[in-house]
Amino acid sequence: MTITNSCNPTDVSSDLTRAAPAMAARNTMLALVPGLALAGAIAAAAFAARAVPGVGTFSPMILAIVIGMAFHNLIGTPARARPGIAFGMKRLLRAAIVLLGFQLSLSQVASVGGWGLLVIAATLAATFLFTVGAGRLLGVDRKLAELIAAGTSICGASAIIATNTVTDAHDEDVAYAIACVTIFGSVAMFAYPALTAVLHLDAAAYGLWCGASIHEIAQVVAASFQNGQRAGEIGTVVKLARVMLLAPVVFALSTTTSLTAAHARVATVRPPLPWFVLGFIALVGLNSIITVPDGGRRIIATLTTFLLTVALAAMGLETDISKLYARGHRPAILGGLAFLFIAAFSLLLIKLVG
């Protein structure tokens, strides 16, 4: 009797070769679980913390980075969590910025009006340039100054983490910039309503001022609605129109950084073209031509905020407080100067255009 061995070594080797990519992908996905689970738990805690009286005025993104930093510096971030944390800071962040486009439409932007859009654009450009220039005079690192400039002039934490995809600053710089816009945006949130009567602003002008100059969306809503429904609605729409300018600012920074490096003939990696911003613009366009049911819109908005919160939690888990102290007080002074400038400049424009 002849026994034939049906197990061909060549076939086995071929099967293993084909299975290797799938196994590698599976292992990579599993490696992300600990970090994403930890960042997700912190994000959930940040959402829950907003139920505490007085905390609800802060966005869950701000709370998440604070909780993440506390965890990292008091307990320590496990080494096995690092792959998932890196994924959260990069991939999830970009996905969330793309989804931000569903919160805007061209009709909302148009409703602000020509003069309103002029105030928003001029304020943003002037504040960004002022902050970067003042940072140079104060001796603040250029990357950190750009992050503070973006957070102050556009939309707080979201603008900072979007801008950092091009700026590529240290996590501590991102945390410092977010701390600046959180503190001074909170000051504005309480100070603006008290100044309404003194500055003789009607509901429309006050809403425009809040939307054009206060840092975070949540802070704009809290401040503007204190002067009535109309002021609140105008402030919210103006702020969303201001968020729209995130795309051109990130693209401009990417182009400027590339040209500067080329002119100086610096042997460095070119900053990545922020393709995710194109996704953001595409969704704004899509949201302008289709009608998303209110329920679906709320789900998308919640998902977007949650993904941004997970990304900020991941960033907090990588932030060393001792390195924050090493940045000194000058960036904080820069954040304060930027806040005063955007408040005064936007108010001046509003008074001029009537």
Side-chain angles (χ1 to χ4, degrees), residues 57-58 178-195 206 209-210 213-216 218-220 222-224 226 332 335-340 342-343:
T57 53
F58 296 99
I178 289 175
C180 283
V181 300
T182 301
I183 291 170
F184 294 112
S186 298
V187 170
M189 183 175 63
F190 292 106
Y192 276 38
L195 294 172
Y206 176 74
W209 187 38
C210 288
S213 60
I214 298 180
H215 304 50
E216 290 277 352
Q219 295 164 344
V220 170
S224 60
Q226 289 190 57
L337 290 174
F339 159 60
L340 292 174
I342 194 171

Side-chain angles (χ1 to χ4, degrees), residues 325-337:
Y325 284 129
R327 268 49 177 187
H329 62 278
R330 291 184 181 183
I333 294 175
L334 178 61
L337 290 174

Side-chain angles (χ1 to χ4, degrees), residues 73-126:
N73 289 274
L74 296 176
I75 300 174
T77 303
R80 65 192 182 117
R82 301 210 180 270
I85 289 172
F87 182 87
M89 288 192 298
K90 294 180 180 179
R91 300 297 180 86
L92 288 187
L93 169 61
R94 286 163 171 76
I97 293 172
V98 171
L99 287 175
L100 271 176
F102 259 125
Q103 297 185 28
L104 295 167
S105 69
L106 296 178
S107 62
Q108 286 178 316
V109 176
S111 69
V112 175
W115 286 116
L117 291 175
L118 176 63
V119 169
I120 295 169
T123 299
L124 189 156

Side-chain angles (χ1 to χ4, degrees), residues 187-269:
V187 170
M189 183 175 63
F190 292 106
Y192 276 38
L195 294 172
T196 308
V198 177
L199 297 173
H200 306 291
L201 296 173
D202 60 20
Y206 176 74
L208 177 57
W209 187 38
C210 288
S213 60
I214 298 180
H215 304 50
E216 290 277 352
I217 292 178
Q219 295 164 344
V220 170
V221 171
S224 60
F225 272 96
Q226 289 190 57
N227 198 35
Q229 184 72 21
R230 176 168 166 74
E233 291 174 352
I234 292 175
T236 303
V237 172
V238 168
K239 179 61 177 179
L240 291 175
R242 189 170 148 206
V243 173
M244 181 80 174
L245 297 178
L246 174 65
V249 170
V250 173
F251 267 117
L253 276 176
S254 177
T255 303
T256 301
T257 305
S258 296
L259 292 175
T260 302
H263 180 71
R265 295 182 180 179
V266 177
T268 185
V269 179

Side-chain angles (χ1 to χ4, degrees), residues 31-63:
L32 299 178
V33 172
L36 288 177
L38 179 57
I42 290 175
F47 273 89
R50 299 184 76 237
V52 178
V55 181
T57 53
F58 296 99
S59 76
M61 293 181 286
I62 303 302
L63 299 174

Side-chain angles (χ1 to χ4, degrees), residues 153-171:
S153 64
I154 310 173
C155 55
S158 300
I160 290 170
I161 56 182
T163 301
N164 196 51
T165 60
V166 173
T167 302
D168 196 27
H170 295 293
D171 293 340

